[in-house]
């Protein structure tokens, strides 16, 4: 499994920029979900069902849209451009539990997380993920 992840992370920034922002969001969804689950397991003593319920409060579209709104002022111009591209990418998926605006902004949030991960901006990614926890509290 590590070699697959390593191969993905060998791509240079130019290659990452040519990817669809929906691919960034796809990766960002997984990165963010893993971060939230790890955070909850390490900071609570909840059982698995309650961990899942609590994680939903962080990863649902409405929560991600609000987190992104709270982060916008602190993003660099490059990060704002990533958010804009991810938000404006046409997605034919209709959200079940969110309105279209929330879904667009949650996709933008996940796109930013995925982009930072794929471009190996680990320090910035961790900084933003930590802010997500504080914005959600």
């Amino acid at each position: 499994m590590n070699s697959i992840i390593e191969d993905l992370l060998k791509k240079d920034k130019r290659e990452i920029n040519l990817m669809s922002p929906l691919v960034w969001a796809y990766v960002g969804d997984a990165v963010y979900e893993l971060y939230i689950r790890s955070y909850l397991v390490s900071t609570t003593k909840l059982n698995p069902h309650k961990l899942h319920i609590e994680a939903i409060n962080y990863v649902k579209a409405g929560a991600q849209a609000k987190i992104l709104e709270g982060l916008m002022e602190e993003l660099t111009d490059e990060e704002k451009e990533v958010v804009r591209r991810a938000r404006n990418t046409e997605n034919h998926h209709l959200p079940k539990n969110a309105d279209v605006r929330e879904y667009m902004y949650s996709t933008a949030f996940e796109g930013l997380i995925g982009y930072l991960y794929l471009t190996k901006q680990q320090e910035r990614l961790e900084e933003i993920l930590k802010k997500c926890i504080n914005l959600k509290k």
Side-chain angles (χ1 to χ4, degrees):
M1 184 170 92
N2 265 354
S3 66
I4 293 172
I5 294 171
E6 289 168 5
D7 287 347
L8 178 61
L9 294 176
K10 284 181 185 174
K11 294 185 180 298
D12 64 25
K13 199 168 188 175
R14 183 177 38 82
E15 289 177 282
I16 304 302
N17 281 317
L18 292 174
M19 289 178 174
S20 166
L22 294 178
V23 172
W24 303 339
Y26 180 74
V27 171
D29 176 58
V31 170
Y32 184 61
E33 178 89 24
L34 180 59
Y35 180 81
I36 292 302
R37 287 180 180 208
S38 298
Y39 167 76
L40 292 173
V41 167
S42 68
T43 61
T44 72
K45 297 200 182 301
L46 300 173
N47 67 44
H49 176 71
K50 289 183 179 176
L51 284 167
H52 174 70
I53 300 301
E54 187 62 25
I56 289 170
N57 291 322
Y58 288 87
V59 301
K60 64 185 175 185
Q64 290 179 349
K66 285 179 184 169
I67 289 169
L68 179 61
E69 188 178 309
L71 289 171
M72 285 302 290
E73 301 254 336
E74 300 175 43
L75 298 181
T76 66
D77 289 342
E78 177 189 20
E79 292 164 348
K80 287 178 183 175
E81 179 62 16
V82 166
V83 165
R84 185 196 64 75
R85 283 184 61 193
R87 184 191 67 226
N88 292 337
T89 299
E90 189 170 343
N91 186 347
H92 298 289
H93 178 80
L94 294 173
K96 283 189 290 189
N97 300 316
D99 64 43
V100 174
R101 182 192 172 284
E102 283 178 337
Y103 192 74
M104 288 171 56
Y105 280 85
S106 68
T107 300
F109 171 77
E110 291 172 346
L112 174 63
I113 299 302
Y115 183 84
L116 292 172
Y117 175 80
L118 290 168
T119 55
K120 299 170 275 310
Q121 297 182 58
Q122 192 64 32
E123 190 174 308
R124 181 62 172 155
L125 175 61
E126 288 178 23
E127 181 182 330
I128 286 176
L129 289 172
K130 285 177 184 172
K131 288 180 182 184
C132 293
I133 298 298
N134 292 331
L135 287 169
K136 185 65 187 104
K137 287 183 179 177

